[in-house]
Amino acid sequence: MLPMMLVLAILLPLVAAVGCYFLRVSAIRSLIVLCTGVVLAAVSLALLGQGTFTYSPGTIVGISWDSLITLADFALLFVMLYYAFKLKNQMIKIFVILQIIPLAVFEMFFVDHAVETPAIFADSLSLIMVAVISVIGSLICFFAIPYMKEHEEHLHLVKSRQPQFFFFLVLFLGAMNGLVLSNNILWLYFFFEVTTFCSFMLIGHDQTQIAVKNATRALMLNALGGVAFVFGMIWAYAETGSLDLQVIIQAGPMGGLMLAPLGLLCLAGFTKAAQVPFQSWLLGAMVAPTPVSALLHSSTMVKAGVYIVLRLAPAYAGTFLSQGIALCGAFTFLACAAIAISQSNGKKILAYSTISNLGLIICCAGLNTSWAITAAIILIIFHAASKALLFLCVGTIEHGIGSRDIEDMHGLYLKMPRTAVITIVGVMTMLLPPFGVLLGKWMAIESASGDMFVITMLALGSALSLVFWARWAGILLTAPLRDKVPAESQSALTRLTLTALAGIAVVLSFFSPVIYTKLIEPMVGKSFEITAGVFTSPMGVFAVYPIFIILAAAFIYSWIETKKSASDKTSQTYMCGANVPEAGVQSFIGPMNGPVELKASNYYMKEFFGEEKLTLWVNFVALALIVLMLGGAL
Amino acid sequence: MKTIILIILGIVIAPVLGGLIAGLDRRVTARLQSRFGPPLLQPFYDVAKLFGKDKVVSNFWQVFCSWVYLIAAALSVGLLFAGSDLLLIFFVQAIGAVFLVMGGLSTPSPYSQVGSQRELIQVLTYEPLLILVFASIFMVTGSFRIDEILAYEQPLLIQLPLMFVVLGYALTIKLRKSPFDFSTSHHGHQELVKGMLTEFSGPYLGIIEIGHWYETIFILGICALFWHTSLVGCVLLIASTYFAELIIDNTMARMTWRWMLKYVWSIGLAMSFVNLIWLYAG
């Protein structure tokens, strides 16, 4: 049963991807994507029920899977090299060659191929990741079906490029599942590279100049991460003599020379998770169609980065490296939240907020107490749901109003009431109690409270993120609004995915105590007592069920009061008595007695938080912190 | 059971206390300005009058937001009385703050729009300071739980004097007093009319006023934690703090948000650092 489930989780997406590529009929393709998504989601939940396991797949037609992976690995690297030449990018060439040569030497001369290394190991962390990837990733693929149709209609393409698009989109899910389930570090490296390549192809999908440029940058930075990974891997093998990730981790907590390879592997994680100063590729990735952004930002790619850092956390617990990682993560959290304030492009706000939240997760891995690790896992789960939802909302809004600028979303509730409300729900789940993201943030802040620098950065970052979220949620409602707004039409799949994701973000938050006791506690150890849905420890309390119930009641009551207000009088918008005296006109009498239309826009505080102003300094400080982290490890 | 009784007690007592403090505030302010001032119960008369007025709204989300603001503020005070977790209480309070801003942003009036944007900057300014205050309390007592903090033998003021000053900044901002009163000024005739609250009227403005009383109690409750060991000390501390707020309110002119953000963040962070380093060294 188990091998079957693993095949479904990792290889089915590959088969489906090939199907999407060759069966060029849109109905068949949609069917393949839908079926794959449903099967993946079901398998991931079944695996979650299965619990921890180790597995070695043995051979297929006499060839070991290990050699197949090695073969595929080199094939992939040479494909990347081909693209490096095609794009005439020297840096990528260097980075890819710096992977190929050491890896070849390593495989041929150093690795003892006779030693049996379990290829696959799954604990709660892996299984949670598989569930996040398979459920949320699949929903994003569903959303992509109607979205890409509209997208290509907008572009007026002669020949549809959807087969290729869905090939990489679906393949991505399989690669991610492989990545989080791998125990053999060579396997992990292979899947790591597959995600790099898939993201490169997806970002460049539209083939515009800017898309190609940004895809190139993504490939370059992730190839740099690949180099760090290869050297870290070889060094770790030299120290421990094992390719087994569990052996490498259980050799810790350790000091001395073993810290350097761990530092390099974490650096690879940093590039993948787009931590500053590597953030530029993820920001560039916004040029891709929305489902790609959603996938990269929520359930795949960047989560692979934080997964690696988190997976290795026990190995560097209590070392200087750990503190360095906490500082780097906290700095990213603060810096990206600050820059996000100055942005008016909706996707860019989401991108910076993603990087910021990943920083928080990495910071938790660095803090490395069981509390902090719990926080990190909770953040991974709930950030994925909320962020996927918000990206898909922006995509829907963009198709609806033709803009992704939040200034153009003033009063969106009048035009797209359904999407507007779901967007606001998404924002609330990122920001407020009792939702999961805030639960994670609460745990993170409380576990960081002993560290003066980290807690200061978390406090500032947390306040900064409140500003851009609250502002965005508020302006969606801006309108003189007294009558019922006509309902909005949405395609069935769009509606299904948005509603499902909003449901996951809200309902799953309610079950966070259950997630903790069933999944996280057995793995990281007990740090909270749970009674009646209340997280309790001598240091803090977070009452999930009571607050959830009270707030739900509050919202229902407030909504009833709102309904009752339908009979209230309508006021004119206050304009100091200079309103143009016509019903329904939002203008005031200005100079020369002419009407002037009302216009208000957000404060972006560019003189404090401008992207141009901060990025250079942020990159500089982040680089210094990484040098500190790695230097301290050496 | 005890917890539930405490929550209910908090929710019932807090607005009464908050209203009385607002009344006292107006009387003392009047005396400072050589006026006689309104009766002590004037805030209650005002709110009662607001509830008697016609209901008028321009966007129905205003109604929703004002109710959520009130309930979140009440809940945070209830949790405070029940001795819950400081950070949790603070985050619940933030729900109210966010919905109030959303209510302000929901109408197109430029006064309301600008006021709401300014309010967000106020939140941005006080929120990190409050989190640092809570973290410093944690460093002294080893817990974020109020019931655990109350079991600590010494007044926190001895070890966290500078953090108390930092809390004072947050208090001034949260109470919307000069020099930080630029999102909703005390007086409706100033440059921004009534800022974020411009479009709220009648009963809905009354709801927000009661929510504000809760928030006053919330912040003063946090202040009280700094001298929790004796009732006299606690009352003395709160009274003198509030009086200091009034003096500041009456002697300062309103400043801009740029000034506030730079000034409060730099001074607040510097003082927090000094105080936290004491704790580390100690």
mmCIF file of all heavy atoms in Angstrom, chain A residues 446 449-450 463 477-479 481 537-541 562 568-569 571 574 602-603 607, chain B residues 54-60 85 105-106 109 113-114 117 139 143-145 199 204 258 280:
data_model
loop_
_atom_site.group_PDB
_atom_site.id
_atom_site.type_symbol
_atom_site.label_atom_id
_atom_site.label_comp_id
_atom_site.label_asym_id
_atom_site.label_seq_id
_atom_site.Cartn_x
_atom_site.Cartn_y
_atom_site.Cartn_z
ATOM 1 N N GLU A 446 6.665 34.984 21.371
ATOM 2 C CA GLU A 446 6.893 34.567 22.760
ATOM 3 C C GLU A 446 8.181 33.763 22.872
ATOM 4 O O GLU A 446 8.893 33.874 23.868
ATOM 5 C CB GLU A 446 5.688 33.788 23.291
ATOM 6 C CG GLU A 446 4.440 34.663 23.299
ATOM 7 C CD GLU A 446 3.500 34.436 24.461
ATOM 8 O OE1 GLU A 446 3.544 33.364 25.070
ATOM 9 O OE2 GLU A 446 2.707 35.358 24.755
ATOM 10 N N SER A 449 11.347 35.998 22.919
ATOM 11 C CA SER A 449 11.387 37.080 23.892
ATOM 12 C C SER A 449 12.666 37.167 24.707
ATOM 13 O O SER A 449 12.936 38.186 25.314
ATOM 14 C CB SER A 449 10.205 36.978 24.842
ATOM 15 O OG SER A 449 9.064 37.338 24.131
ATOM 16 N N GLY A 450 13.475 36.106 24.709
ATOM 17 C CA GLY A 450 14.729 36.199 25.443
ATOM 18 C C GLY A 450 15.805 36.935 24.662
ATOM 19 O O GLY A 450 16.795 37.358 25.221
ATOM 20 N N ALA A 463 4.231 45.048 13.422
ATOM 21 C CA ALA A 463 3.446 46.283 13.299
ATOM 22 C C ALA A 463 3.397 46.755 11.853
ATOM 23 O O ALA A 463 2.364 47.217 11.365
ATOM 24 C CB ALA A 463 4.053 47.365 14.184
ATOM 25 N N LEU A 477 -13.520 48.441 0.482
ATOM 26 C CA LEU A 477 -14.894 48.785 0.856
ATOM 27 C C LEU A 477 -15.262 50.224 0.528
ATOM 28 O O LEU A 477 -16.425 50.610 0.642
ATOM 29 C CB LEU A 477 -15.075 48.567 2.358
ATOM 30 C CG LEU A 477 -14.811 47.162 2.876
ATOM 31 C CD1 LEU A 477 -14.893 47.148 4.394
ATOM 32 C CD2 LEU A 477 -15.830 46.202 2.289
ATOM 33 N N THR A 478 -14.274 51.048 0.156
ATOM 34 C CA THR A 478 -14.521 52.478 0.007
ATOM 35 C C THR A 478 -15.615 52.765 -1.014
ATOM 36 O O THR A 478 -15.425 52.536 -2.205
ATOM 37 C CB THR A 478 -13.255 53.208 -0.470
ATOM 38 O OG1 THR A 478 -12.195 52.827 0.371
ATOM 39 C CG2 THR A 478 -13.431 54.701 -0.442
ATOM 40 N N ALA A 479 -16.724 53.254 -0.545
ATOM 41 C CA ALA A 479 -17.812 53.630 -1.445
ATOM 42 C C ALA A 479 -18.955 54.156 -0.612
ATOM 43 O O ALA A 479 -19.115 53.764 0.528
ATOM 44 C CB ALA A 479 -18.289 52.425 -2.246
ATOM 45 N N LEU A 481 -22.355 53.407 0.097
ATOM 46 C CA LEU A 481 -22.921 52.107 -0.215
ATOM 47 C C LEU A 481 -24.179 51.892 0.613
ATOM 48 O O LEU A 481 -24.103 51.714 1.817
ATOM 49 C CB LEU A 481 -21.867 51.061 0.142
ATOM 50 C CG LEU A 481 -22.089 49.666 -0.353
ATOM 51 C CD1 LEU A 481 -22.038 49.662 -1.862
ATOM 52 C CD2 LEU A 481 -20.998 48.786 0.193
ATOM 53 N N SER A 537 0.862 27.153 28.569
ATOM 54 C CA SER A 537 2.164 26.780 29.110
ATOM 55 C C SER A 537 2.399 27.747 30.265
ATOM 56 O O SER A 537 1.661 28.729 30.401
ATOM 57 C CB SER A 537 3.251 26.910 28.055
ATOM 58 O OG SER A 537 3.666 28.248 27.965
ATOM 59 N N PRO A 538 3.407 27.484 31.095
ATOM 60 C CA PRO A 538 3.635 28.446 32.189
ATOM 61 C C PRO A 538 3.933 29.848 31.659
ATOM 62 O O PRO A 538 3.777 30.827 32.369
ATOM 63 C CB PRO A 538 4.862 27.874 32.908
ATOM 64 C CG PRO A 538 4.888 26.435 32.555
ATOM 65 C CD PRO A 538 4.295 26.320 31.200
ATOM 66 N N MET A 539 4.352 29.935 30.406
ATOM 67 C CA MET A 539 4.745 31.238 29.888
ATOM 68 C C MET A 539 3.639 31.975 29.135
ATOM 69 O O MET A 539 3.722 33.187 28.978
ATOM 70 C CB MET A 539 5.952 31.060 28.969
ATOM 71 C CG MET A 539 7.218 30.782 29.745
ATOM 72 S SD MET A 539 8.649 30.790 28.681
ATOM 73 C CE MET A 539 8.526 29.245 27.874
ATOM 74 N N GLY A 540 2.667 31.242 28.644
ATOM 75 C CA GLY A 540 1.650 31.948 27.872
ATOM 76 C C GLY A 540 0.385 31.131 27.660
ATOM 77 O O GLY A 540 0.355 29.924 27.895
ATOM 78 N N VAL A 541 -0.659 31.813 27.224
ATOM 79 C CA VAL A 541 -1.947 31.169 26.942
ATOM 80 C C VAL A 541 -2.463 31.693 25.611
ATOM 81 O O VAL A 541 -2.372 32.889 25.339
ATOM 82 C CB VAL A 541 -3.017 31.547 27.994
ATOM 83 C CG1 VAL A 541 -4.210 30.632 27.883
ATOM 84 C CG2 VAL A 541 -2.450 31.551 29.384
ATOM 85 N N THR A 562 -25.866 45.212 10.955
ATOM 86 C CA THR A 562 -25.647 45.855 9.656
ATOM 87 C C THR A 562 -26.872 45.713 8.771
ATOM 88 O O THR A 562 -27.303 46.643 8.100
ATOM 89 C CB THR A 562 -24.422 45.221 8.966
ATOM 90 O OG1 THR A 562 -23.360 45.207 9.892
ATOM 91 C CG2 THR A 562 -24.022 45.999 7.745
ATOM 92 N N ASP A 568 -31.876 52.745 7.888
ATOM 93 C CA ASP A 568 -31.315 54.027 8.348
ATOM 94 C C ASP A 568 -31.339 55.055 7.214
ATOM 95 O O ASP A 568 -31.413 54.705 6.043
ATOM 96 C CB ASP A 568 -29.862 53.849 8.801
ATOM 97 C CG ASP A 568 -29.756 53.004 10.053
ATOM 98 O OD1 ASP A 568 -30.807 52.593 10.563
ATOM 99 O OD2 ASP A 568 -28.627 52.753 10.490
ATOM 100 N N LYS A 569 -31.222 56.306 7.612
ATOM 101 C CA LYS A 569 -31.107 57.365 6.610
ATOM 102 C C LYS A 569 -29.742 57.291 5.927
ATOM 103 O O LYS A 569 -28.781 56.789 6.501
ATOM 104 C CB LYS A 569 -31.226 58.729 7.291
ATOM 105 C CG LYS A 569 -32.633 59.117 7.653
ATOM 106 C CD LYS A 569 -32.611 60.545 8.125
ATOM 107 C CE LYS A 569 -33.831 60.828 8.991
ATOM 108 N NZ LYS A 569 -33.632 62.026 9.814
ATOM 109 N N SER A 571 -26.504 59.244 4.464
ATOM 110 C CA SER A 571 -25.851 60.551 4.552
ATOM 111 C C SER A 571 -25.039 60.787 3.293
ATOM 112 O O SER A 571 -24.591 59.860 2.639
ATOM 113 C CB SER A 571 -24.930 60.600 5.766
ATOM 114 O OG SER A 571 -23.810 59.782 5.541
ATOM 115 N N TYR A 574 -19.153 63.509 3.611
ATOM 116 C CA TYR A 574 -18.833 64.823 4.160
ATOM 117 C C TYR A 574 -17.743 65.505 3.353
ATOM 118 O O TYR A 574 -16.646 64.964 3.194
ATOM 119 C CB TYR A 574 -18.393 64.691 5.621
ATOM 120 C CG TYR A 574 -18.085 66.024 6.243
ATOM 121 C CD1 TYR A 574 -19.119 66.842 6.696
ATOM 122 C CD2 TYR A 574 -16.786 66.483 6.334
ATOM 123 C CE1 TYR A 574 -18.854 68.079 7.245
ATOM 124 C CE2 TYR A 574 -16.505 67.719 6.884
ATOM 125 C CZ TYR A 574 -17.544 68.515 7.334
ATOM 126 O OH TYR A 574 -17.277 69.746 7.865
ATOM 127 N N ASN A 602 -3.753 55.996 -0.794
ATOM 128 C CA ASN A 602 -3.056 55.576 0.414
ATOM 129 C C ASN A 602 -1.782 56.362 0.652
ATOM 130 O O ASN A 602 -1.190 56.886 -0.279
ATOM 131 C CB ASN A 602 -2.671 54.100 0.289
ATOM 132 C CG ASN A 602 -3.873 53.209 0.307
ATOM 133 O OD1 ASN A 602 -4.791 53.430 1.075
ATOM 134 N ND2 ASN A 602 -3.869 52.205 -0.533
ATOM 135 N N TYR A 603 -1.373 56.380 1.911
ATOM 136 C CA TYR A 603 -0.032 56.863 2.252
ATOM 137 C C TYR A 603 0.928 55.714 1.976
ATOM 138 O O TYR A 603 0.737 54.617 2.491
ATOM 139 C CB TYR A 603 0.059 57.169 3.751
ATOM 140 C CG TYR A 603 -0.547 58.469 4.196
ATOM 141 C CD1 TYR A 603 -1.487 59.137 3.434
ATOM 142 C CD2 TYR A 603 -0.177 59.028 5.416
ATOM 143 C CE1 TYR A 603 -2.039 60.323 3.879
ATOM 144 C CE2 TYR A 603 -0.735 60.208 5.865
ATOM 145 C CZ TYR A 603 -1.666 60.851 5.097
ATOM 146 O OH TYR A 603 -2.218 62.010 5.542
ATOM 147 N N GLU A 607 9.271 58.067 1.709
ATOM 148 C CA GLU A 607 10.518 58.645 2.223
ATOM 149 C C GLU A 607 11.107 57.806 3.354
ATOM 150 O O GLU A 607 12.284 57.920 3.654
ATOM 151 C CB GLU A 607 10.317 60.095 2.661
ATOM 152 C CG GLU A 607 9.477 60.290 3.903
ATOM 153 C CD GLU A 607 8.034 60.666 3.562
ATOM 154 O OE1 GLU A 607 7.433 59.962 2.730
ATOM 155 O OE2 GLU A 607 7.530 61.645 4.129
ATOM 156 N N ASP B 54 -30.885 60.165 15.355
ATOM 157 C CA ASP B 54 -31.251 59.366 14.181
ATOM 158 C C ASP B 54 -30.047 58.582 13.699
ATOM 159 O O ASP B 54 -28.914 59.053 13.755
ATOM 160 C CB ASP B 54 -31.690 60.291 13.034
ATOM 161 C CG ASP B 54 -33.129 60.685 13.174
ATOM 162 O OD1 ASP B 54 -33.794 60.131 14.085
ATOM 163 O OD2 ASP B 54 -33.592 61.539 12.389
ATOM 164 N N LYS B 55 -30.327 57.385 13.179
ATOM 165 C CA LYS B 55 -29.237 56.612 12.592
ATOM 166 C C LYS B 55 -29.034 57.057 11.154
ATOM 167 O O LYS B 55 -29.960 57.021 10.359
ATOM 168 C CB LYS B 55 -29.578 55.123 12.613
ATOM 169 C CG LYS B 55 -29.646 54.531 14.009
ATOM 170 C CD LYS B 55 -30.038 53.073 13.931
ATOM 171 C CE LYS B 55 -29.967 52.435 15.300
ATOM 172 N NZ LYS B 55 -30.489 51.068 15.285
ATOM 173 N N VAL B 56 -27.791 57.470 10.858
ATOM 174 C CA VAL B 56 -27.476 57.913 9.502
ATOM 175 C C VAL B 56 -26.140 57.287 9.089
ATOM 176 O O VAL B 56 -25.163 57.408 9.821
ATOM 177 C CB VAL B 56 -27.351 59.456 9.444
ATOM 178 C CG1 VAL B 56 -26.995 59.891 8.040
ATOM 179 C CG2 VAL B 56 -28.637 60.109 9.895
ATOM 180 N N VAL B 57 -26.124 56.597 7.970
ATOM 181 C CA VAL B 57 -24.852 56.031 7.504
ATOM 182 C C VAL B 57 -24.693 56.260 6.004
ATOM 183 O O VAL B 57 -25.672 56.469 5.287
ATOM 184 C CB VAL B 57 -24.753 54.513 7.765
ATOM 185 C CG1 VAL B 57 -24.545 54.223 9.217
ATOM 186 C CG2 VAL B 57 -25.952 53.785 7.226
ATOM 187 N N SER B 58 -23.441 56.224 5.566
ATOM 188 C CA SER B 58 -23.241 56.350 4.121
ATOM 189 C C SER B 58 -22.769 55.037 3.509
ATOM 190 O O SER B 58 -22.872 54.824 2.315
ATOM 191 C CB SER B 58 -22.269 57.485 3.814
ATOM 192 O OG SER B 58 -20.945 57.038 3.851
ATOM 193 N N ASN B 59 -22.222 54.141 4.340
ATOM 194 C CA ASN B 59 -21.795 52.841 3.838
ATOM 195 C C ASN B 59 -22.100 51.829 4.923
ATOM 196 O O ASN B 59 -21.664 51.986 6.064
ATOM 197 C CB ASN B 59 -20.283 52.879 3.543
ATOM 198 C CG ASN B 59 -19.758 51.576 2.975
ATOM 199 O OD1 ASN B 59 -20.306 50.505 3.249
ATOM 200 N ND2 ASN B 59 -18.712 51.654 2.203
ATOM 201 N N PHE B 60 -22.842 50.759 4.576
ATOM 202 C CA PHE B 60 -23.291 49.873 5.655
ATOM 203 C C PHE B 60 -22.150 49.141 6.350
ATOM 204 O O PHE B 60 -22.303 48.647 7.445
ATOM 205 C CB PHE B 60 -24.391 48.915 5.193
ATOM 206 C CG PHE B 60 -24.032 48.024 4.039
ATOM 207 C CD1 PHE B 60 -23.135 46.996 4.205
ATOM 208 C CD2 PHE B 60 -24.639 48.196 2.791
ATOM 209 C CE1 PHE B 60 -22.825 46.165 3.152
ATOM 210 C CE2 PHE B 60 -24.326 47.364 1.733
ATOM 211 C CZ PHE B 60 -23.416 46.346 1.916
ATOM 212 N N ASP B 85 -3.141 36.005 28.595
ATOM 213 C CA ASP B 85 -1.802 36.259 28.072
ATOM 214 C C ASP B 85 -1.707 37.676 27.496
ATOM 215 O O ASP B 85 -2.559 38.100 26.712
ATOM 216 C CB ASP B 85 -1.556 35.212 26.974
ATOM 217 C CG ASP B 85 -0.189 35.293 26.367
ATOM 218 O OD1 ASP B 85 0.081 36.263 25.646
ATOM 219 O OD2 ASP B 85 0.587 34.379 26.595
ATOM 220 N N LEU B 105 -12.027 53.846 6.398
ATOM 221 C CA LEU B 105 -11.694 53.800 4.975
ATOM 222 C C LEU B 105 -12.892 53.483 4.098
ATOM 223 O O LEU B 105 -12.839 53.658 2.881
ATOM 224 C CB LEU B 105 -10.607 52.744 4.729
ATOM 225 C CG LEU B 105 -9.181 53.118 5.130
ATOM 226 C CD1 LEU B 105 -8.276 51.906 5.041
ATOM 227 C CD2 LEU B 105 -8.637 54.234 4.263
ATOM 228 N N SER B 106 -13.978 53.016 4.724
ATOM 229 C CA SER B 106 -15.088 52.556 3.897
ATOM 230 C C SER B 106 -15.898 53.701 3.294
ATOM 231 O O SER B 106 -16.744 53.470 2.455
ATOM 232 C CB SER B 106 -16.000 51.635 4.706
ATOM 233 O OG SER B 106 -16.689 52.393 5.661
ATOM 234 N N SER B 109 -15.127 60.051 1.978
ATOM 235 C CA SER B 109 -14.802 61.394 2.451
ATOM 236 C C SER B 109 -13.295 61.542 2.654
ATOM 237 O O SER B 109 -12.669 60.728 3.310
ATOM 238 C CB SER B 109 -15.497 61.667 3.780
ATOM 239 O OG SER B 109 -14.883 62.755 4.413
ATOM 240 N N GLN B 113 -10.693 59.388 4.990
ATOM 241 C CA GLN B 113 -9.604 58.627 4.357
ATOM 242 C C GLN B 113 -8.244 59.005 4.947
ATOM 243 O O GLN B 113 -7.473 58.138 5.342
ATOM 244 C CB GLN B 113 -9.594 58.904 2.842
ATOM 245 C CG GLN B 113 -10.765 58.288 2.099
ATOM 246 C CD GLN B 113 -10.516 56.833 1.746
ATOM 247 O OE1 GLN B 113 -9.397 56.444 1.484
ATOM 248 N NE2 GLN B 113 -11.562 56.030 1.782
ATOM 249 N N VAL B 114 -7.996 60.304 5.002
ATOM 250 C CA VAL B 114 -6.696 60.745 5.518
ATOM 251 C C VAL B 114 -6.566 60.367 6.995
ATOM 252 O O VAL B 114 -5.524 59.880 7.435
ATOM 253 C CB VAL B 114 -6.517 62.264 5.320
ATOM 254 C CG1 VAL B 114 -5.257 62.744 6.002
ATOM 255 C CG2 VAL B 114 -6.469 62.602 3.844
ATOM 256 N N GLN B 117 -5.656 56.729 7.333
ATOM 257 C CA GLN B 117 -4.252 56.474 7.003
ATOM 258 C C GLN B 117 -3.357 56.917 8.159
ATOM 259 O O GLN B 117 -2.397 56.231 8.518
ATOM 260 C CB GLN B 117 -3.855 57.240 5.736
ATOM 261 C CG GLN B 117 -4.674 56.886 4.513
ATOM 262 C CD GLN B 117 -4.232 55.600 3.846
ATOM 263 O OE1 GLN B 117 -3.160 55.098 4.111
ATOM 264 N NE2 GLN B 117 -5.075 55.054 2.991
ATOM 265 N N MET B 139 10.751 39.101 30.418
ATOM 266 C CA MET B 139 12.138 38.863 30.840
ATOM 267 C C MET B 139 12.283 38.968 32.360
ATOM 268 O O MET B 139 13.089 38.270 32.958
ATOM 269 C CB MET B 139 13.065 39.862 30.165
ATOM 270 C CG MET B 139 13.402 39.460 28.755
ATOM 271 S SD MET B 139 14.626 40.561 28.100
ATOM 272 C CE MET B 139 14.123 40.615 26.426
ATOM 273 N N SER B 143 7.085 35.153 32.334
ATOM 274 C CA SER B 143 5.803 34.733 31.779
ATOM 275 C C SER B 143 5.079 35.882 31.114
ATOM 276 O O SER B 143 5.272 37.051 31.470
ATOM 277 C CB SER B 143 4.920 34.150 32.879
ATOM 278 O OG SER B 143 3.702 33.715 32.313
ATOM 279 N N PHE B 144 4.237 35.554 30.129
ATOM 280 C CA PHE B 144 3.346 36.544 29.523
ATOM 281 C C PHE B 144 1.967 36.504 30.183
ATOM 282 O O PHE B 144 1.104 37.290 29.852
ATOM 283 C CB PHE B 144 3.188 36.265 28.027
ATOM 284 C CG PHE B 144 4.347 36.713 27.192
ATOM 285 C CD1 PHE B 144 5.332 35.831 26.835
ATOM 286 C CD2 PHE B 144 4.439 38.023 26.753
ATOM 287 C CE1 PHE B 144 6.402 36.239 26.058
ATOM 288 C CE2 PHE B 144 5.503 38.442 25.977
ATOM 289 C CZ PHE B 144 6.486 37.552 25.634
ATOM 290 N N ARG B 145 1.788 35.529 31.067
ATOM 291 C CA ARG B 145 0.457 35.376 31.666
ATOM 292 C C ARG B 145 0.290 36.340 32.822
ATOM 293 O O ARG B 145 1.121 36.399 33.716
ATOM 294 C CB ARG B 145 0.278 33.947 32.160
ATOM 295 C CG ARG B 145 0.168 32.951 31.042
ATOM 296 C CD ARG B 145 0.276 31.565 31.570
ATOM 297 N NE ARG B 145 -0.735 31.300 32.585
ATOM 298 C CZ ARG B 145 -1.059 30.065 32.956
ATOM 299 N NH1 ARG B 145 -0.474 29.030 32.407
ATOM 300 N NH2 ARG B 145 -1.972 29.885 33.868
ATOM 301 N N GLU B 199 -17.228 60.407 9.414
ATOM 302 C CA GLU B 199 -18.480 59.911 8.835
ATOM 303 C C GLU B 199 -19.319 59.087 9.797
ATOM 304 O O GLU B 199 -20.390 58.626 9.443
ATOM 305 C CB GLU B 199 -18.165 59.078 7.587
ATOM 306 C CG GLU B 199 -17.593 59.884 6.446
ATOM 307 C CD GLU B 199 -18.665 60.440 5.532
ATOM 308 O OE1 GLU B 199 -19.852 60.421 5.918
ATOM 309 O OE2 GLU B 199 -18.313 60.886 4.428
ATOM 310 N N TYR B 204 -23.819 55.007 16.149
ATOM 311 C CA TYR B 204 -22.582 54.321 15.755
ATOM 312 C C TYR B 204 -21.352 55.036 16.307
ATOM 313 O O TYR B 204 -20.372 54.400 16.684
ATOM 314 C CB TYR B 204 -22.517 54.169 14.236
ATOM 315 C CG TYR B 204 -23.740 53.459 13.710
ATOM 316 C CD1 TYR B 204 -24.630 54.067 12.842
ATOM 317 C CD2 TYR B 204 -24.033 52.162 14.175
ATOM 318 C CE1 TYR B 204 -25.775 53.415 12.423
ATOM 319 C CE2 TYR B 204 -25.181 51.511 13.754
ATOM 320 C CZ TYR B 204 -26.049 52.143 12.876
ATOM 321 O OH TYR B 204 -27.190 51.488 12.477
ATOM 322 N N ARG B 258 5.200 62.235 10.458
ATOM 323 C CA ARG B 258 6.630 61.977 10.212
ATOM 324 C C ARG B 258 7.430 62.154 11.485
ATOM 325 O O ARG B 258 8.256 61.328 11.852
ATOM 326 C CB ARG B 258 7.150 62.934 9.142
ATOM 327 C CG ARG B 258 6.660 62.600 7.761
ATOM 328 C CD ARG B 258 7.124 63.609 6.739
ATOM 329 N NE ARG B 258 6.507 63.326 5.468
ATOM 330 C CZ ARG B 258 5.270 63.653 5.152
ATOM 331 N NH1 ARG B 258 4.518 64.301 6.026
ATOM 332 N NH2 ARG B 258 4.754 63.345 3.988
ATOM 333 N N TYR B 280 19.718 42.260 31.103
ATOM 334 C CA TYR B 280 20.699 41.240 30.720
ATOM 335 C C TYR B 280 21.878 41.256 31.674
ATOM 336 O O TYR B 280 22.335 40.225 32.159
ATOM 337 C CB TYR B 280 21.220 41.525 29.303
ATOM 338 C CG TYR B 280 20.460 40.802 28.246
ATOM 339 C CD1 TYR B 280 19.602 41.479 27.401
ATOM 340 C CD2 TYR B 280 20.607 39.429 28.095
ATOM 341 C CE1 TYR B 280 18.885 40.810 26.426
ATOM 342 C CE2 TYR B 280 19.901 38.761 27.122
ATOM 343 C CZ TYR B 280 19.048 39.460 26.286
ATOM 344 O OH TYR B 280 18.355 38.797 25.325
#
